[in-house]
Amino acid sequence: MTHRPKSSTAEPRTLAEAAALVSTPDLDVSPDGTFGEFGGAHLPPHLQGPMAEVAQAYADARNDPEFYAEYRRLLRDVVGRPSPVTEARRLSAELGGAQILLKREDLNHTGSHKINHCIGEALLAKRMGKRSLIAETGAGQHGVALATAAAMTGLDCEIHMGAIDIAKQHPNVVRMRLLGAKVVSVDREGRSLKEAVDSAFDVYAQRPQDYLFAIGSVVGPHPFPTIVRDFQTVVGRESRAQLLERFGALPAAVVACVGGGSNAMGAFTAYLDDADVRLIGVEPGGRSAARGEHAMTMTHGTAGTLHGMATLVIQDDDGAAAPVHSIASGLDYPGVGPQHAHFQSIGRVEYVAEDDDAVLDAFQRLTRLEGIVPALESAHAVAHAMRLAPTLPADARILVNLSGRGDKDVDYVAERLGLEGVADETVR
Ligand SMILES: *Cc1c(COP(=O)(O)O)cnc(C)c1O
């Protein structure tokens, strides 16, 4: 079973056409949510009914033009879509070779691609008559985007967050509370993302009639990898139309970072049938390839089950998810979306890694040469584009999905570089 647009000729040629088509899903879905040998819904019995209900409600919404009309309206009027494509001219000139282009998801309201699927999930919850959204968050980025979508649509929102993360991510905790979300501190052994997922699932399982579990990436049991993917396809559809309109040509490569894989899925799906377009997912190489020092699921993961899905997992000998590291907290995940595992197995997408040092270099060079401060997650994709550009001809274009802005990361980077609280000069 392949998961591709029915026909590439159905892809929009102009921005006006793109705006009309944005996020009308035309990707195949298998009834059980499998992607080759990956995906599906591997759940305890008490969660099977509630997830089947979500799958049915989404299947209905997917065929409802009014549902998508409201979604498109919010993307345009609140998120600010379409996001622009920026030519990184100074960076490209310094590197030589191909031109680097940036799809500016960092300019979205709330600062990343996450708002695209959070708004979709909020509309689905309303359609299902749910009172509240519930989710986990690690660094707080998904929590803030979801709390924003809840505020916009008049839903309650409950965010579970590890006690350690709450202490580390104070501004995001305050933002979520100001947006009206209830923030639950998870003070259980570990006190981090994994415990937050378990805790949010516990509450959801007790009262599934009240909540929609709003997952933060293309992960989890069916139907979530499909739902989140569909709401992110807007990114690739727009960029494809923008490049055709401006250059009359498709890019040589599309590059995106991969944590759970939602921004990459959004960036790639519109190009699946364009055999000449290389699709490249960039994972966090971290500090080294030693166990616990990276999160390279595609190269170091093995087939397993995590958070209700069959996928690749970085795991211990006893099958438990192993500790992982990334300089970017949004990429710090021991699994990956099941459709990415499938894309790797059929060879349609290449998966590579960039380490923390290359990422910090890319962060600084994009900031200095283009005046754009990228999220550390997105800087992984920039780092790989910088490596690729000199190997390609000058008339080739590399499209980077700049998944988010780096405001959240400036204090950390300044500390790493020894810049915090230091002026360049003092006058008296
Ligand atoms: C959360 C996040 C990511 C990682 O999530 P994916 O699902 O892999 O896209 C990447 N970039 C930014 C800016 C994020 O906030």
Side-chain angles (χ1 to χ4, degrees):
M1 161 120 224
T2 56
H3 299 268
R4 307 180 144 215
K6 281 182 187 107
S7 145
S8 59
T9 55
E11 289 300 332
R13 299 279 148 180
T14 67
L15 261 190
E17 276 183 62
L21 283 173
V22 154
S23 288
T24 305
D26 62 356
L27 293 160
D28 296 339
V29 187
S30 74
D32 57 356
T34 51
F35 306 97
E37 60 183 293
F38 303 106
H42 300 260
L43 293 165
H46 66 286
L47 284 174
Q48 285 168 7
M51 283 301 159
E53 187 210 346
V54 177
Q56 186 55 51
Y58 179 63
D60 292 344
R62 217 173 183 257
N63 292 316
D64 181 355
E66 276 179 31
F67 178 82
Y68 271 90
E70 175 67 356
Y71 173 65
R72 281 198 296 272
R73 185 184 69 77
L74 292 172
L75 289 189
R76 184 192 63 201
D77 297 349
V78 180
V79 178
R81 304 207 72 93
S83 65
V85 168
T86 302
E87 295 172 55
R89 292 193 181 163
R90 279 168 33 84
L91 179 66
S92 303
E94 189 173 282
L95 295 165
Q99 299 298 303
I100 296 176
L101 310 174
L102 309 168
K103 178 63 173 164
R104 302 292 305 279
E105 294 300 294
D106 60 312
L107 294 178
N108 294 344
H109 179 45
T110 70
S112 82
H113 71 288
K114 285 195 172 80
I115 193 75
N116 300 330
H117 65 246
C118 287
I119 287 178
E121 289 174 320
L123 291 180
L124 182 62
K126 283 212 86 140
R127 184 184 172 91
M128 294 179 73
K130 305 293 184 191
R131 178 178 57 77
S132 184
L133 296 164
I134 185 166
E136 78 295 344
T137 194
Q141 296 301 109
H142 177 57
V144 168
L146 196 66
T148 302
M152 279 163 56
T153 52
L155 288 162
D156 292 346
C157 185
E158 180 172 322
I159 303 292
H160 290 235
M161 192 168 181
I164 292 175
D165 292 330
I166 290 208
K168 277 207 302 220
Q169 306 290 343
H170 183 252
N172 275 345
V173 176
V174 174
R175 274 168 88 193
M176 286 185 272
R177 296 189 62 204
L178 287 171
L179 286 160
K182 171 176 162 188
V183 178
V184 177
S185 173
V186 182
D187 200 357
R188 297 182 190 159
E189 187 60 39
R191 296 174 181 76
S192 191
L193 181 60
K194 161 118 195 350
E195 293 72 36
V197 176
D198 295 340
S199 168
F201 252 110
D202 287 350
V203 172
Y204 173 72
Q206 285 159 22
R207 297 209 310 277
Q209 68 281 8
D210 290 344
Y211 292 107
L212 181 80
F213 200 102
I215 283 177
S217 187
V218 286
V219 298
H222 176 65
F224 287 103
T226 302
I227 293 179
V228 174
R229 174 196 69 187
D230 287 354
F231 289 131
Q232 290 294 344
T233 58
V234 59
V235 177
R237 286 169 193 278
E238 275 179 14
S239 74
R240 194 174 185 282
Q242 285 166 317
L243 264 68
L244 286 175
E245 187 172 76
R246 200 184 307 173
F247 305 107
L250 293 176
V254 180
V255 183
C257 65
V258 177
S262 64
N263 88 86
M265 196 57 75
F268 295 163
T269 38
Y271 299 91
L272 288 176
D273 277 357
D274 301 312
D276 293 343
V277 179
R278 286 173 68 187
L279 303 176
I280 306 175
V282 188
E283 291 199 301
R287 290 182 286 250
S288 80
R291 175 61 53 98
E293 298 290 297
H294 65 85
M296 295 184 274
T297 310
M298 287 300 186
T299 42
H300 292 255
T302 49
T305 307
L306 179 69
H307 295 146
M309 59 180 163
T311 190
L312 296 173
V313 185
I314 301 179
Q315 50 196 328
D316 301 340
D317 296 337
D318 59 3
V324 288
H325 158 80
S326 170
I327 191 171
S329 51
L331 303 181
D332 205 340
Y333 187 59
V336 69
Q339 197 166 10
H340 282 289
H342 177 61
F343 284 153
Q344 184 178 54
S345 73
I346 61 172
R348 180 60 189 99
V349 180
E350 303 160 53
Y351 294 89
V352 299
E354 292 293 343
D355 67 18
D356 290 354
D357 289 340
V359 168
L360 275 173
D361 179 51
F363 178 101
Q364 292 174 78
R365 282 168 82 179
L366 193 72
T367 302
R368 289 250 171 148
L369 291 170
E370 302 293 341
I372 297 170
V373 182
L376 282 170
E377 290 82 359
S378 322
H380 284 74
V382 176
H384 192 71
M386 286 167 53
R387 193 181 303 283
L388 194 59
T391 71
L392 296 177
D395 62 353
R397 296 182 188 88
I398 301 171
L399 179 66
V400 171
N401 195 27
L402 206 73
S403 54
R405 69 175 82 123
D407 304 36
K408 66 185 180 57
D409 297 316
V410 292
D411 287 342
Y412 174 80
V413 172
E415 196 186 314
R416 285 272 301 227
L417 301 177
L419 294 173
E420 83 273 41
V422 183
D424 289 305
E425 230 178 75
T426 302
V427 291
R428 293 185 206 284

